[in-house]
Structure formats: structure tokens, C-alpha cells
Amino acid sequence: MKMSKIIFFNLVLTLLFISFSTSQARASPAKSKPIMIFKEYLGAQFNGITFSDVPISPKVDEFHFILSFAIDYKTGTSSRGPVPTNGDFKVYWDTENLSPSHVSSIKSQHRNVKVAMSLGGDTLEDQFVFFSPESINSWVENAVQSITEISKEFDLDGIDVDYEHFNADPDTFAECIGRLVFNLKQQKVVSYVSIAPFDEESVQAHYMALWKKYGHLIDYVNFQFYAYDKGTTVSQFLKFFDDQSSNYKGSNMLVSFGTDEKSGGLSPENGFFEACKKLKSQGKLQGIFIWSADDSMKDDFQYEKKSQNLLLA
């Protein structure tokens, strides 16, 4: 009798397990399609470009414009040229053609468009822009205040961090940028943040220190693959992608090319889109960004169109 009860009890447990497993299998959602993002920098060259010049596919999940640049420097006050302002950012993009009203208009016309501003950049009035904080606390306080003011004025959605020269060690950079991002997100000033490193020793040291401590707050890595040597091959590009994905492990890493004459890396003419197709087939492609719309205008944005079509294919 005891043995029969045990057998019966085990049978009930087995049936319950099968029923639960079946219901769980039925309830499991289908694997979702990855979000595809296209990003484009614009506004640094003051050549009259505006948002509406750039072709925008309504089918791309998200289309991010990145205004270039906001810089914590001031001009016209020193014979030495621009001087750093310890986190007090000013707008240095073409505000005549990329104004708050232009931002409002393009976002109202395209539901998938978001607009960010890039911080830092390479040069201002032909001089290098350096990350030059006087102290962590003072830089963060000034940066939060000034970036909040600019973001509200232009109704921006995010920031992109693109410092390329440094007068501070990697740990200081990580703390300043990390605390800035934390505060901006906590106060709901921005909804996303990207960083834009490239493969140079000092640059990587600073951005990888930031990623190691504050990577959980960073939404995208806009890696400047066009900073590699001209003549990069498809196989080299794919290796570079894997290397940087390992350096910024767990990131949403976007691939990139430049449409200006100075840019290196893997160009569209030499196989960029072939490499993208391979990454996409492997489930690694998360988006594409281009430097820059200012340069692409002369060729009627042919590669912007091709990039978005590839993302949708």
C-alpha cells in the first residue's frame, strides 16, 4: 500500500512537471528582432547643412543626429586662442541652420529621429581641444549645469562623448564623465549616452577606464573605425571589430566610416558594406554611424541611403 502511494505521488509530480514545462514553452515569446540604429554627425563645418537635407528612412528603428560640437572652451578672449572653461560648455555647431526650431521640426516630422550633441571633438580654431578639468567636483558641477541648459534649449535626447586629447589621467576622466552621465540620466536630462573612442593608446586608456567603471551607464560605443589606416581590408576590419568588442565587452558597438577625404579605415568603395553583411549574418551588427553629413552632402548622401537600406535588409 505504501509503495502504491509513492508510485502514485511520483506519477502526479511527473504529470505536473510536464504540464508546467509545456505551458512555459507555449508562453515563451518569439526571439525579438534586434533594434537597428543609424547615427550621423553634422554641423561642424558650417557649410549650410540642415537636418532635412539628410535622407531619413521611416523604417529604421532609430535615427540619431549628433550635433558637433559642444565644447568647454571659450574663444576671443586670449591671444593664445581658445581656452578651457572647466566643464562650462558652449555650442560650437552651426546654430543658424541647426537651431532649436530645426530640432523641433525634424523630430515632429519623423517619429524615429532623436538628436544628441557631441562633447569635445578634435580641434577648435585649429587648436586641439583638451579635456582639462580643474578638479573632478567643479568640472562635474559646471558640466551638469551647462549641458542641462543646452539640452533644454535644443530639446536634445542624448550626449556623445568625443574628447580626443587629455590634460588629465584616465581615472580623473572616468570619474568626471561617469558622474556627469549619472547625474544627467538621474535628472532625466538625457535618455541615452554614447562614447566615441578610437584605437590610439592614450584615447583607449581613458575610455576603457571610463567603460570599466561606468560602462553600465553608457548605451552605445560609436567606435571610430575610420581612424584606422587607409586601405583597411574586410578581414582586418572584422578583426578590429572583434578586438574592440572585447575591449568594450557587453557594449552596443556601432560600425563606422567617414565621407571626408582624411578618413581612413574600410571605405564603402573597398568593402565596408560587405563587412557589415558578414557582421549582420553573425548577429553582431547593431548599427552604423557616419562622419559626417557635412561631407556627404556633395555626393547626395549616397552612402547614408545605402547604410539604412542595409540595416533594413
Side-chain angles (χ1 to χ4, degrees):
M1 184 66 181
K2 289 181 180 180
M3 183 61 69
S4 298
K5 285 183 179 180
I6 291 171
I7 293 172
F8 178 76
F9 183 68
N10 286 340
L11 178 62
V12 171
L13 282 179
T14 301
L15 290 172
L16 285 172
F17 176 77
I18 293 172
S19 176
F20 177 76
S21 299
T22 303
S23 65
Q24 286 294 98
R26 287 173 180 168
S28 298
K31 188 175 181 180
S32 60
K33 184 180 177 182
I35 292 175
M36 289 293 173
I37 296 173
F38 179 79
K39 295 174 179 260
E40 179 122 51
Y41 290 80
L42 81 170
Q45 295 182 26
F46 288 78
N47 63 354
I49 192 165
T50 190
F51 299 115
S52 58
D53 293 327
V54 184
I56 301 169
S57 170
K59 296 181 180 179
V60 171
D61 294 312
E62 292 188 13
F63 188 115
H64 296 183
F65 284 110
I66 308 174
L67 294 164
S68 311
F69 293 90
I71 310 172
D72 56 333
Y73 268 66
K74 60 183 176 182
T75 60
T77 60
S78 170
S79 59
R80 296 180 292 116
V83 294
T85 54
N86 190 40
D88 184 10
F89 284 85
K90 302 279 190 280
V91 170
Y92 286 100
W93 63 77
D94 182 1
T95 54
E96 182 177 342
N97 296 290
L98 299 164
S99 67
S101 63
H102 287 104
V103 173
S104 176
S105 176
I106 199 68
K107 288 171 71 172
S108 66
Q109 293 173 44
H110 300 274
R111 60 164 186 79
N112 59 338
V113 164
K114 296 182 179 180
V115 183
M117 62 177 158
S118 189
L119 309 180
D122 184 21
T123 62
L124 179 63
E125 295 185 354
D126 297 321
Q127 294 189 23
F128 287 141
V129 169
F130 284 88
F131 176 72
S132 302
E134 293 177 9
S135 70
I136 293 174
N137 289 339
S138 64
W139 189 93
V140 171
E141 182 179 355
N142 291 338
V144 169
Q145 181 177 340
S146 59
I147 290 171
T148 297
E149 290 173 357
I150 296 169
S151 296
K152 289 182 176 179
E153 179 185 359
F154 283 82
D155 189 24
L156 301 180
D157 303 288
I159 61 167
D160 172 67
V161 181
D162 187 27
Y163 281 105
E164 302 186 2
H165 311 280
F166 307 91
N167 280 335
D169 62 81
D171 289 337
T172 299
F173 178 72
E175 281 304 313
C176 285
I177 301 300
R179 293 185 195 183
L180 168 65
V181 170
F182 175 81
N183 278 281
L184 293 176
K185 284 195 164 186
Q186 186 182 54
Q187 297 172 26
K188 302 189 185 306
V189 175
V190 300
S191 60
Y192 66 90
V193 173
S194 60
I195 58 174
F198 56 94
D199 196 17
E200 188 276 332
E201 185 176 358
S202 175
V203 171
Q204 290 283 63
H206 285 78
Y207 281 93
M208 287 173 69
L210 170 63
W211 181 259
K212 182 177 181 181
K213 190 163 187 180
Y214 290 99
H216 61 288
L217 296 175
I218 296 166
D219 302 283
Y220 309 103
V221 175
N222 297 352
F223 199 86
Q224 297 183 45
F225 287 100
Y226 46 84
Y228 284 106
D229 292 339
K230 287 188 177 184
T232 295
T233 65
V234 170
S235 60
Q236 287 174 326
F237 181 90
L238 294 172
K239 182 181 185 305
F240 294 153
F241 180 87
D242 286 340
D243 289 345
Q244 300 310 329
S245 295
S246 177
N247 285 336
Y248 299 91
K249 195 170 182 64
S251 68
N252 294 316
M253 179 167 290
L254 277 67
V255 295
S256 60
F257 62 92
T259 54
D260 61 317
E261 294 181 358
K262 293 182 180 179
S263 286
L266 180 60
S267 68
E269 298 90 346
N270 292 333
F272 175 82
F273 294 110
E274 178 188 341
C276 285
K277 288 176 183 177
K278 289 187 177 182
L279 290 174
K280 192 173 185 181
S281 70
Q282 297 167 357
K284 296 178 180 179
L285 185 67
Q286 301 182 68
I288 297 171
F289 79 89
I290 298 177
W291 173 271
S292 66
D294 307 49
D295 297 291
S296 298
M297 189 161 56
K298 66 183 182 300
D299 295 318
D300 195 31
F301 305 101
Q302 60 172 317
Y303 295 126
E304 280 76 0
K305 298 169 188 173
K306 193 166 184 178
S307 295
Q308 292 175 76
N309 288 336
L310 185 145
L311 292 174
L312 295 170

